[in-house]
Structures are given as structure tokens and as C-alpha cells.
């Protein structure tokens, strides 16, 4: 029987890479995202089945879930950072949006698909979180607060499903260079977005994170990776980033 995977936020970046990886591994992938045009391109390239959906809309999520009778893997990837403001300058609407996407979106999809996950008799829920879910930094309040909440949600789900045949995995990447993450955080300012990665030798890529997803879901079902923290070699911690080449005689790339 072909296994089914649901990937949210699948239209670009990490979500698109995860979709491609799971499809390559033989899953029937239901690729979920808001942007129909980007989603169609990913579906054509990977063979995934596209489903246009805003995960913050609980009623729309319920309608989608009603079409899924079995779910072997759920990857809650939809999320993002939407500002870099200090708390003093914070816009509560940005915070609300950050929680809607990163936390409530994950809650809506997980709740709606739980029956299908249990029906698979050996399923995996992957929450794509961040190292920002366990640490904080200046200007990151709206994002770190939401990711801390997503970390708590994931841990709670794991406890509540104890004794059920569903694994709960949290993957927490550090610096990942994708096309849109930093641009969204800085409201489309390409200069500020590029400065995040300037002179950093080989930040993680979306494909690197997809490999981590493939690894965790590919393990025997009795093996659960509670939390996988993954950073580029240049980033020793959230606050410790090396800028410059890692290898003598090379340039950062």
C-alpha cells in the first residue's frame, strides 16, 4: 500500500524540498499551501497532489481533512517570521499573525488529521520548528514567542499520544538560506535579507532540512526522534555565528 504524506507550506522553500524528498521516497504527497501558482509548479515537478489551503482557516482545514482517509506522515511546515521589531516597536497584529500561522495553523491541521493518523497504525507527525523555539534574540520576539509555543504544542502532543502508534517529531533548524524567509521578515527588503547570510560559509539549505525529515520518518516505527536540532557548521549557537570561510584558502559560499 502506498503511504500518504501531507506537507503544509509546500509551495516554496523547505516545504517544497520536503515534498520532493517524500515523493522521491515513494509517498503519495498531498502538498498544501495558499499560493495556487507556486503550488502547481511544485506539484508538476514532484508529482505531488496540490491542495490550495490556508492553514489558519480552521473550517477550510476541516474540509481538507475530510478528503484524507489515511495519513502516514504529517509535516507541519507552514510558518515564518514576519518582522524584526523590538518589543517597544512591536505591532500586535504582526504577533497575532505569527501565532496564527506558526501555532494555530499547526493545531488546526494536526487536530483535523488525527483520526487519519491513528488509522495508519504507525504514523509520524513532524513539526518543523526552529532553534528560536528554545532560545531568544533581540528583534525576534514575535517569531521566538510563536516558536516557543509550537515547541510546547509538540511536546504536549507527544505526551497525549503516549501509547498510540503515532510518533511526534520536532525538527529545529538554525540558519537556513531560502528564497523567502528573510525577505518576508524584512518586508521585501533584499538588502537586509542578504545581510543575514553575508559571509556565512554554507548556511543550511531547504534540501538539507528535507534530508532530516526523510531520516526521521524513515526510521523503524518504534524509533522516535523527539527533537532534532540542526545548524550549519558556521553557527555554533543561536548567538554564535562565524562569518568568513571555514576552510583555509577558500571563500565563504
Amino acid at each position: 500500500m502506498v503511504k500518504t504524506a501531507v506537507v503544509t507550506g509546500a509551495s516554496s522553500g523547505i516545504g517544497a524540498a520536503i515534498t520532493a524528498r517524500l515523493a522521491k521516497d515513494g509517498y503519495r504527497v498531498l502538498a498544501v499551501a495558499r499560493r495556487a501558482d507556486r503550488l502547481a509548479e511544485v506539484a508538476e515537478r514532484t508529482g505531488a497532489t496540490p491542495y490550495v489551503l490556508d492553514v489558519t482557516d480552521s473550517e477550510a482545514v476541516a474540509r481538507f481533512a475530510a478528503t484524507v482517509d489515511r495519513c502516514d506522515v504529517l509535516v507541519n511546515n507552514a510558518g515564518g517570521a514576519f518582522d524584526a521589531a523590538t518589543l517597544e516597536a512591536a505591532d500586535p497584529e504582526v504577533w497575532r499573525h505569527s501565532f496564527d500561522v506558526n501555532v494555530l495553523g499547526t493545531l488546526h491541521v494536526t487536530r483535523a488529521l488525527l483520526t487519519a493518523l491513528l488509522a495508519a497504525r504507525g504514523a509520524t507527525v513532524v513539526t518543523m520548528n526552529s532553534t528560536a523555539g528554545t532560545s531568544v534574540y533581540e528583534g525576534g520576539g514575535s517569531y521566538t514567542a510563536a516558536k516557543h509555543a509550537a515547541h510546547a504544542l509538540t511536546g504536549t502532543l507527544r505526551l497525549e499520544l503516549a501509547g498510540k502508534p503515532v510518533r511526534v517529531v520536532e525538527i529545529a533548524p538554525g540558519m537556513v538560506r531560502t528564497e523567502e524567509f528573510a525577505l518576508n521578515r524584512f518586508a521585501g527588503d533584499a538588502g537586509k535579507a542578504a545581510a543575514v547570510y553575508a559571509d556565512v560559509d554554507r548556511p543550511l539549505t531547504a534540501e538539507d532540512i528535507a534530508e532530516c525529515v526523510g531520516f526521521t520518518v524513515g526510521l523503524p516505527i518504534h524509533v522516535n526522534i523527539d527533537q532534532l536540532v540542526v545548524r550549519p557548521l558556521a553557527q555554533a549557537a543561536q548567538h554564535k555565528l562565524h562569518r568568513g570561510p571555514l576552510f583555509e584558502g577558500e571563500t565563504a559560499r
Side-chain angles (χ1 to χ4, degrees):
M1 180 179 295
V2 176
K3 293 184 176 181
T4 297
V6 174
V7 180
T8 68
S11 62
S12 65
I14 292 173
I18 294 169
T19 297
R21 171 57 194 265
L22 293 181
K24 180 182 177 182
D25 288 347
Y27 285 88
R28 169 180 172 255
V29 182
L30 307 182
V32 174
R34 293 179 298 108
R35 296 176 295 181
D37 54 341
R38 298 290 294 267
L39 192 58
E41 185 278 325
V42 171
E44 182 177 0
R45 175 165 50 86
T46 64
T49 301
Y51 197 105
V52 178
L53 175 68
D54 182 345
V55 298
T56 68
D57 184 340
S58 60
E59 293 183 358
V61 170
R63 289 193 295 271
F64 163 69
T67 69
V68 182
D69 58 356
R70 174 187 173 122
C71 182
D72 299 274
V73 173
L74 166 60
V75 183
N76 285 307
N77 171 72
F82 305 105
D83 74 347
T86 63
L87 293 185
E88 182 180 12
D91 180 350
E93 288 304 314
V94 173
W95 279 64
R96 189 169 289 110
H97 180 59
S98 184
F99 270 76
D100 279 346
V101 176
N102 290 289
V103 185
L104 293 179
T106 297
L107 175 64
H108 295 328
V109 176
T110 304
R111 285 184 63 211
L113 288 175
L114 198 51
T115 298
L117 287 159
L118 289 168
R121 298 183 60 81
T124 307
V125 177
V126 179
T127 298
M128 190 56 55
N129 205 13
S130 168
T131 52
T134 51
S135 61
V136 296
Y137 51 90
E138 299 96 325
S142 66
Y143 184 63
T144 60
K147 288 303 187 183
H148 273 67
H151 173 66
L153 182 159
T154 306
T156 302
L157 179 67
R158 188 180 301 112
L159 293 174
E160 292 176 350
L161 290 179
K164 305 291 186 183
V166 179
R167 297 183 294 193
V168 179
V169 175
E170 177 183 4
I171 296 179
M175 176 177 279
V176 184
R177 180 164 52 196
T178 61
E179 180 183 349
E180 296 182 310
F181 182 86
L183 274 176
N184 289 336
R185 163 164 271 177
F186 294 110
D189 188 320
K192 288 183 178 180
V196 172
Y197 309 105
D199 297 321
V200 178
D201 195 349
R202 283 162 280 201
L204 297 177
T205 67
E207 288 71 26
D208 293 330
I209 306 307
E211 286 294 314
C212 293
V213 173
F215 165 67
T216 59
V217 304
L219 289 168
I221 194 61
H222 69 284
V223 181
N224 193 99
I225 303 296
D226 284 6
Q227 184 185 44
L228 177 59
V229 177
V230 53
R231 293 186 175 97
L233 181 58
Q235 186 182 38
Q238 195 79 9
H239 61 282
K240 182 68 172 179
L241 179 67
H242 174 75
R243 294 186 187 271
L246 289 169
F247 300 95
E248 187 176 353
E250 295 186 5
T251 56
R253 56 187 173 90

